[in-house]
Amino acid sequence: MKRLLWLLPVVALAPLAWAAFAPLELASRDELFEIPSGTYARRMAGDKVEILPDTIHLTLGLNDQLLLRNKDEVPQQFGPVLIMPGQSFRLPFEVASTYSFACSAHASGQMAVIVAPTPEAGWPRLKWRWQHRNKNTTETSA
Amino acid sequence: MKRRALLLATLPLAAMAANERLKAGVFEPAQPAPEFALKGSDGAPLSLARFKGKLVLLVFGFTNCPEVCPTTLATLAQARKQLGTDAADVQVVYVTVDPERDDVNRIRQYLEAFDKSFVGGTEAPDKLAAMRKRYGVVAEKIAAKQPNAYGMNHSTSVWLIDRTGRLRAMMPYGHEAKDFVHDIHLLLAAQ
């Protein structure tokens, strides 16, 4: 029995090693923000409805498409674009950078999309998994 | 039989559209782009209808812009050169957000420095503001010490309107000419 004790740390570290080195893949590359039906009416009634944050964080190769969808009954200024009822706007990113958009929907007049590089194997990937542990991920085999 | 032939003829385009995505942000479903009526820098009235049959690249800016507008217009001029014969099917339209300083003559001279085919437009401030609102475009003055030295904070993207007048996509600032060429080829082929 004692002879197998050396296996304990190996077993304990195996999940960490897996999390650090197994490839990452999300179920969808879309980062969705949606204006629900009735938003205009709620705003007119005095509700403060905020859907789109003034800074959005995306990661290349994982969630690198911003998807804005208007399910309301009226056109909506949604970030940098005006979206018609029932319409969506999908914006892909291919370069890690910070993108600034003039946007009347935010008090600052600006909206930023920060696109981070794809996490490399090792600590960056482990950190990403921890930070996004609640996201719907599907891992692929190596 | 005719229907089958039509289907077969459109299959390659559909397959291309399915496999290749635009670099720009895409509106789904595409809807008619808002019409406008401006004074054109070429002396003729400027409207979207005037360019039906062409792919319109719509830009909002001002001729005193220190960085964004020159970069965008130079990129579009470069893209047109790379397009070869397809450039004839593309029209760049530059709408000022600064009608106080940008009259048609100034816009014409400014655009000619980039590409003689570019057409600009201006109108009364309220009409331009109404047009910007229909496109979801932002523009506001940045005050300066000298009254005529103000800057403008404005939307920096390029709107892509297809040959039938539908607003298809929006290319954010910073993309290279090759990205425009890529998307223009796709949009021209898909119609």
Side-chain angles (χ1 to χ4, degrees):
Chain A
M1 191 64 181
K2 274 186 181 174
R3 276 189 307 171
L4 294 176
L5 277 178
W6 69 272
L7 272 174
L8 274 175
V10 175
V11 171
L13 289 174
L16 273 180
W18 172 86
F21 293 99
L24 287 166
E25 193 179 321
L26 292 175
S28 167
R29 292 175 76 159
D30 292 334
E31 188 70 26
L32 172 67
F33 294 91
E34 200 167 75
I35 297 179
S37 174
T39 298
Y40 177 75
R42 282 180 58 201
R43 283 190 176 134
M44 287 297 102
D47 282 5
K48 198 177 178 187
V49 186
E50 287 185 8
I51 296 158
L52 205 57
D54 50 19
T55 303
I56 295 169
H57 293 270
L58 304 178
T59 307
L60 274 189
L62 296 168
N63 61 334
D64 54 8
Q65 296 184 145
L66 183 63
L67 176 58
L68 310 176
R69 188 176 288 150
N70 180 11
K71 288 188 148 183
D72 205 0
E73 290 77 27
V74 297
Q76 292 275 3
Q77 185 71 37
F78 206 1
V81 285
L82 183 70
I83 306 183
M84 296 297 129
Q87 196 179 39
S88 66
F89 177 74
R90 180 180 275 110
L91 179 59
F93 292 90
E94 295 181 343
V95 179
S97 185
T98 297
Y99 299 83
S100 294
F101 297 95
C103 167
S104 63
H106 291 104
S108 65
Q110 293 285 325
M111 189 189 101
V113 178
I114 300 173
V115 183
T118 310
E120 289 180 19
W123 172 245
R125 199 171 288 177
L126 184 64
K127 189 176 159 194
W128 190 94
R129 274 206 165 88
W130 175 253
Q131 286 171 341
H132 298 81
R133 57 194 178 277
N134 294 326
K135 271 207 182 267
N136 184 18
T137 55
T138 53
E139 276 75 31
T140 56
S141 54
Chain B
M1 192 65 182
K2 270 185 180 174
R3 190 179 294 176
R4 186 177 293 174
L6 186 66
L7 184 67
L8 285 173
T10 56
L11 270 178
L13 296 180
M16 185 184 70
N19 294 330
E20 279 219 64
R21 286 190 162 184
L22 297 185
K23 307 280 185 187
V26 176
F27 293 96
E28 284 286 345
Q31 295 195 3
E35 182 54 282
F36 50 82
L38 308 174
K39 296 172 197 160
S41 62
D42 58 351
L46 183 63
S47 67
L48 203 52
R50 182 177 149 188
F51 301 115
K52 199 161 187 181
K54 287 191 174 191
L55 181 71
V56 172
L57 305 179
L58 181 63
V59 187
F60 293 84
F62 66 115
T63 62
N64 282 293
C65 183
E67 187 184 336
V68 170
C69 291
T71 304
T72 301
L73 292 170
T75 302
L76 295 179
Q78 198 184 345
R80 278 194 88 253
K81 279 182 189 151
Q82 291 175 17
L83 280 167
T85 53
D86 278 348
D89 293 328
V90 176
Q91 180 63 54
V92 172
V93 174
Y94 180 81
V95 177
T96 185
V97 296
D98 183 16
E100 283 178 44
R101 293 180 293 190
D102 290 345
D103 59 19
V104 285
N105 289 329
R106 185 176 169 85
I107 297 171
R108 188 185 65 250
Q109 286 167 8
Y110 179 71
L111 292 179
E112 277 177 358
F114 297 96
D115 187 315
K116 285 189 165 46
S117 76
F118 290 1
V119 179
T122 186
E123 245 305 341
D126 59 330
K127 287 188 177 172
L128 289 173
M131 177 187 175
R132 289 197 299 270
K133 192 175 178 188
R134 289 197 294 275
Y135 278 91
V137 168
V138 174
E140 59 181 5
K141 266 188 186 176
I142 304 166
K145 284 179 184 170
Q146 293 167 335
N148 213 30
Y150 60 88
M152 297 292 296
N153 177 35
H154 64 91
S155 300
T156 56
S157 303
V158 178
W159 278 255
L160 286 79
I161 300 166
D162 72 18
R163 296 190 206 214
T164 62
R166 290 178 304 163
L167 180 55
R168 296 288 294 272
M170 185 205 80
M171 185 78 87
Y173 174 69
H175 278 265
E176 296 176 37
K178 64 181 171 60
D179 291 341
F180 281 95
V181 171
H182 173 272
D183 284 8
I184 288 167
H185 279 314
L186 280 182
L187 288 171
L188 289 177
Q191 295 158 44

